[in-house]
Amino acid sequence: MSTPASRTPAGRTPASRHHKRPRGEGQWALGYREPLNKNEESKKNDDGLNVRQRIIDIYAKRGFDSIDPADLRGRMRWYGLYTQRKPGIDGGKTAVLEPEELDDRYFMMRVRIDGGQLSLAQLRTIADISNEYARGTADVTDRQNIQLHWVEIESVPDIWQRLEAVGLTTTEACGDTPRVIMGCPLAGIDVDEVIDATPALRELQERVVGNPAYSNLPRKFKTALSGCPAHCTVHEINDVAFVGVLNERGEPGYDLWVGGGLSTNPMLGKRVGVFVRPDQVGDVHEGVVGIFRDYGYRRLRHRARLKFLVSDWGTEKFREVLETEYLKEPLPDGPAPEQPRSNRRDHVGVFPQKDGNFYVGFAPRVGRLDGDALHLIADIAERHGSDRVRTTVEQKLVILDIAPDQVDSVVAELEANDLRVKPSTFRRQTMACTGIEFCKLAIVETKNAASDLIDELERRLPEFAEPLTINVNGCPNSCARIQVADIGLKGQLVVDENGDQVEGYQIHLGGSLGANSGFGRKVRGLKTTAKALPDYVERVVRNYDTQKKEGESFADWVQRADEADLK
């Protein structure tokens, strides 16, 4: 017997009354306020900013064993502190062991350096802290920060006191917060800059850093702000970026980009299409951070970055929400930025400033320095009349304000101390993340491998001078930006010719930012052991050098090359 159209079988709910609420993504603005994972629950239980006083009053006095696990592996990041990897744990155990098995009793401490701007007093303070509390460690990151290692919890209050006495901080250097604000190291002095972003950068610092209104975001939030014609802040891969432009009346301002980011689901930022006046930057930035806080996905950590929201919404809806709900006013349409003035988006070398002085940019090895080297850099700068040093997003440094008659002396001193002002392509454009030496997420070693690779390539290919980025990462998370490198190396365990599992890399080829931004080409099965890495890179670089057309970049060549020439 058939069921009448107006009825349903016993026990079944008519479709018209069976409306499930769509599964929420944890978006606060849509009413999903209950925590949907342990990280969100921890943040709801206590703001990460509150851990500072516990560190000072309890943990630094009672020692490592007194630290609450929720603070140890969560809220302490709000002040730039991560436990570092326990020595001796190989990469095969990274994803197997529990956090407490990977944790050492020492910390990585990240000092945030917004805009990369350092006075000599600040640089020397970091150098002293490095030598006294961090076993001399000091790595310049690809987000302009300086990271210290081997820091004990008992030392943290004194370190903070010394940093803050010279205007530095670790506040929100990590955590689900607005991270360091990247800026051009030449802001205010570059003869060709579109706009000096320093005042806007300072305003953003004052408005968002340590502000409880923005201390519980779905995940980390990365900002870039620059008027640099070289586009040195890699605006395409930040959550939000302000890029210097001139509007149709010739007035300087910013083009707004949102939704960039790499890691395991890389996405390039998208132009919103608006012109932001200098006096609007603070409001617009807070609006974008607010959208992320209120509409960002909080259910799954791997989808909790702004790029996923922007991908789902599109820039038209993003602009509408920004203007109507957060700014309460429309923004005018604006022009796209000019293309970068160079295919090397850094500031290595000697160049003139607006005031007639010069800046000198130089390349340490993959950002690895130490306390003594920081003191040396400060001494060289001071001897030649400078009080300002800058870090860059390429793990490099720049000394500003060198008088014309002092340039040769500065260059000579830096070069004599292996701080290359005139580096090879391989020294200039090889980058490496922290790697297994200290990072609990890493699978392979990176810093020494990258440094050794530089030496080998300089020996084997001494005449090669084309731009070529080689980015070495210890895990899939792309802290070293592997997907947008000419040669991106993602650390993993591989099998060697003897059948043994050893450290190695999956290879991405031909990634780029700028005129033809895109992610690297993956060739099926293209991997190398760490031992065979120099042979592989030499082989593919020689193929490019032989086959390239006039003016053809490595990335462009990769797109047309035969797979056999990429292996």
Side-chain angles (χ1 to χ4, degrees):
M1 179 177 173
S2 63
T3 303
S6 60
R7 300 179 60 188
T8 58
R12 294 279 297 275
T13 303
S16 60
R17 299 205 308 270
H18 194 68
H19 290 300
K20 282 187 178 179
R21 187 182 187 190
R23 182 171 65 171
E25 291 285 356
Q27 296 165 280
W28 286 1
L30 301 184
Y32 295 99
R33 300 290 301 207
E34 285 305 307
L36 296 174
N37 58 54
K38 290 183 179 179
N39 297 87
E40 290 301 311
E41 185 176 350
S42 176
K43 289 186 287 183
K44 183 177 182 180
N45 290 341
D46 189 30
D47 192 313
L49 293 175
N50 294 334
V51 78
R52 176 186 170 100
Q53 210 56 44
R54 289 194 290 277
I55 292 172
I56 294 170
D57 295 339
I58 302 172
Y59 305 148
K61 294 177 179 177
R62 299 182 186 176
F64 186 88
D65 291 332
S66 69
I67 304 174
D68 184 310
D71 286 343
L72 182 67
R73 299 181 193 96
R75 302 183 192 100
M76 290 178 76
R77 299 175 185 181
W78 270 242
Y79 287 93
L81 291 163
Y82 280 88
T83 49
Q84 65 189 42
R85 187 188 191 93
K86 191 178 295 181
I89 300 175
D90 65 56
K93 296 188 173 79
T94 295
V96 177
L97 297 179
E98 295 297 321
E100 59 269 19
E101 296 176 284
L102 288 166
D103 286 334
D104 203 353
R105 299 172 69 85
Y106 299 93
F107 292 87
M108 178 275 286
M109 174 180 277
R110 183 177 296 157
V111 182
R112 70 179 290 159
I113 304 172
D114 294 279
Q117 300 184 7
L118 288 168
S119 68
L120 296 193
Q122 291 173 328
L123 186 61
R124 286 186 168 122
T125 296
I126 297 173
D128 287 339
I129 291 169
S130 167
N131 285 337
E132 293 176 39
Y133 294 119
R135 300 188 187 181
T137 55
D139 288 346
V140 180
T141 76
D142 61 1
R143 293 194 64 80
Q144 299 183 284
N145 299 306
I146 293 180
Q147 290 184 175
L148 311 173
H149 294 281
W150 300 109
V151 173
E152 296 177 298
I153 191 63
E154 292 86 349
S155 307
V156 171
D158 186 55
I159 293 173
W160 282 343
Q161 187 175 38
R162 293 167 72 166
L163 289 172
E164 289 161 10
V166 292
L168 292 172
T169 183
T170 68
T171 302
E172 295 181 337
C174 311
D176 295 351
T177 65
R179 303 279 187 94
V180 67
I181 302 163
M182 297 205 305
C184 176
L186 310 182
I189 70 165
D190 190 315
V191 295
D192 296 319
E193 72 179 351
V194 178
I195 185 173
D196 177 6
T198 304
L201 187 143
R202 294 296 179 221
E203 181 182 359
L204 300 195
Q205 281 182 284
E206 293 171 3
R207 291 173 70 152
V208 303
V209 180
N211 184 344
Y214 308 116
S215 60
N216 181 355
L217 301 179
R219 275 198 72 189
K220 57 189 172 185
F221 185 85
K222 298 180 177 181
T223 299
L225 172 70
S226 174
C228 173
H231 295 183
C232 69
T233 57
V234 290
H235 59 271
E236 301 98 328
I237 53 174
N238 282 269
D239 292 283
V240 64
F242 297 84
V243 187
V245 293
L246 300 176
N247 67 10
E248 68 279 2
R249 293 187 295 275
E251 299 165 334
Y254 298 94
D255 187 41
L256 178 65
W257 293 58
V258 295
L262 297 179
S263 193
T264 53
N265 287 284
M267 299 183 194
L268 293 172
K270 298 177 175 63
R271 292 188 60 235
V272 179
V274 297
F275 179 79
V276 182
R277 299 192 314 269
D279 63 295
Q280 295 175 308
V281 171
D283 289 339
V284 172
H285 184 255
E286 282 200 67
V288 176
V289 180
I291 289 175
F292 182 45
R293 176 195 61 201
D294 301 337
Y295 287 98
Y297 303 149
R298 293 175 181 262
R299 184 171 66 87
L300 300 173
R301 290 285 286 178
H302 71 269
R303 276 182 51 82
R305 293 293 300 275
L306 182 65
K307 62 187 178 183
F308 293 101
L309 181 67
V310 172
S311 178
D312 290 346
W313 275 10
T315 53
E316 186 175 339
K317 179 176 179 180
F318 192 95
R319 177 177 179 175
E320 178 186 359
V321 173
L322 175 65
E323 292 175 335
T324 59
E325 295 187 28
Y326 292 84
L327 300 178
K328 310 298 185 185
E329 64 174 346
L331 295 168
D333 293 343
E338 298 288 334
Q339 289 301 323
R341 68 181 176 191
S342 168
N343 50 10
R344 282 191 169 111
R345 292 165 68 171
D346 61 18
H347 298 293
V348 175
V350 178
F351 297 94
Q353 300 180 177
K354 290 178 180 178
D355 61 4
N357 289 321
F358 288 80
Y359 69 83
V360 180
F362 55 96
R365 287 179 175 270
V366 293
R368 175 134 288 181
L369 291 164
D370 57 35
D372 291 344
L374 296 183
H375 270 302
L376 173 67
I377 292 164
D379 291 345
I380 292 172
E382 185 174 47
R383 278 197 294 273
H384 296 88
S386 172
D387 186 49
R388 298 193 293 172
V389 172
R390 299 290 183 259
T391 57
T392 83
V393 305
E394 302 294 333
Q395 301 180 329
K396 309 298 187 290
L397 289 96
V398 182
I399 297 175
L400 307 184
D401 308 327
I402 302 299
D405 63 351
Q406 297 292 307
V407 169
D408 290 345
S409 178
V410 170
V411 171
E413 282 203 58
L414 291 169
E415 290 276 348
N417 288 282
D418 197 33
L419 300 168
R420 302 293 183 194
V421 180
K422 303 171 184 177
S424 69
T425 284
F426 307 115
R427 176 69 168 268
R428 179 172 182 172
Q429 294 192 278
T430 298
M431 175 189 298
C433 73
T434 299
I436 202 170
E437 182 181 9
F438 297 118
C439 179
K440 293 179 295 182
L441 300 178
I443 301 167
V444 304
E445 200 280 328
T446 55
K447 289 287 190 183
N448 290 331
S451 184
D452 291 344
L453 178 63
I454 290 168
D455 289 340
E456 278 297 303
L457 295 176
E458 287 179 340
R459 182 179 66 81
R460 300 182 190 193
L461 300 164
E463 303 302 319
F464 184 81
E466 297 292 327
L468 184 81
T469 54
I470 303 175
N471 294 13
V472 186
N473 216 79
C475 78
N477 289 319
S478 200
C479 295
R481 311 201 293 256
I482 52 174
Q483 295 101 330
V484 293
D486 287 313
I487 301 177
L489 302 166
K490 182 174 75 175
Q492 60 181 221
L493 299 180
V494 301
V495 177
D496 68 8
E497 66 274 12
N498 300 318
D500 297 323
Q501 196 175 60
V502 297
E503 291 192 357
Y505 304 92
Q506 183 188 57
I507 299 166
H508 299 243
L509 293 172
S512 63
L513 296 174
N516 297 300
S517 295
F519 300 126
R521 176 179 174 184
K522 293 182 187 178
V523 178
R524 183 179 296 275
L526 186 53
K527 300 176 183 178
T528 180
T529 64
K531 182 180 178 181
L533 179 60
D535 292 340
Y536 170 75
V537 176
E538 178 190 7
R539 185 165 63 250
V540 75
V541 171
R542 286 191 185 278
N543 289 341
Y544 161 63
D545 209 27
T546 301
Q547 299 176 17
K548 70 179 186 292
K549 299 176 182 177
E550 182 71 27
E552 185 175 34
S553 70
F554 183 88
D556 289 340
W557 170 76
V558 164
Q559 297 310 311
R560 68 172 180 84
D562 292 336
E563 282 199 8
D565 293 323
L566 302 178
K567 293 184 175 179

